[in-house]
Every structure is written in structure tokens, then in C-alpha cells.
Amino acid sequence: LADHFGRLDPATVTPDLSLREHLKADSLDGVEIALALEEEFSVQITDDECAKCTTVGELQQLLAKLTGGAA
């Protein structure tokens, strides 16, 4: 996420960080993040799953679920 948004120090990316409020992510950002995560972790993320994630922590939980905890 720090790489995607460019203006973030990776140390500031915490589970409670809101994707929309804090990072100002829009729907295009959501698609780009999902694609990057799919590539990085070899998983498939549906649009519905992605849309339900509103915080970094929720993205982490989704990845843990999809990877069996390997993310």
C-alpha cells in the first residue's frame, strides 16, 4: 500500500488505517490494489470481497483467509 500511494511511510500503514478516509482511495485504487495483491500472493479476490474491505486490517484478514494464513 505504501508503494501504491507513494506518499506513505510503510511504518505508518497500520491495520486500523481507513482506505478511503486516510488514504483517499477510490474505486480505481481498489481495483489496482486487488490486482497487485492477487499477483503478489497468487490468489483471486472478487469485486465483492475487495469492496467489503474498508481498512488495511480487513485487507490483511482477507489475505489470511485466501492464503490459509500464509500472507
Side-chain angles (χ1 to χ4, degrees):
L1 290 174
D3 286 343
H4 177 78
F5 289 99
R7 62 189 181 274
L8 290 177
D9 174 358
T12 65
V13 180
T14 60
D16 61 334
L17 198 65
S18 169
L19 299 171
R20 294 191 193 242
E21 282 184 47
H22 297 117
L23 301 179
K24 306 296 184 213
D26 59 19
S27 58
L28 180 56
D29 289 316
V31 170
E32 291 173 345
I33 291 167
L35 290 173
L37 292 173
E38 287 177 338
E39 185 176 317
E40 179 72 23
F41 294 99
S42 299
V43 295
Q44 292 287 81
I45 301 173
T46 67
D47 291 341
D48 287 342
E49 288 171 324
C50 187
K52 289 179 185 176
C53 294
T54 61
T55 65
V56 171
E58 289 172 352
L59 275 176
Q60 290 173 318
Q61 290 172 356
L62 175 61
L63 281 173
K65 175 183 139 191
L66 295 174
T67 63

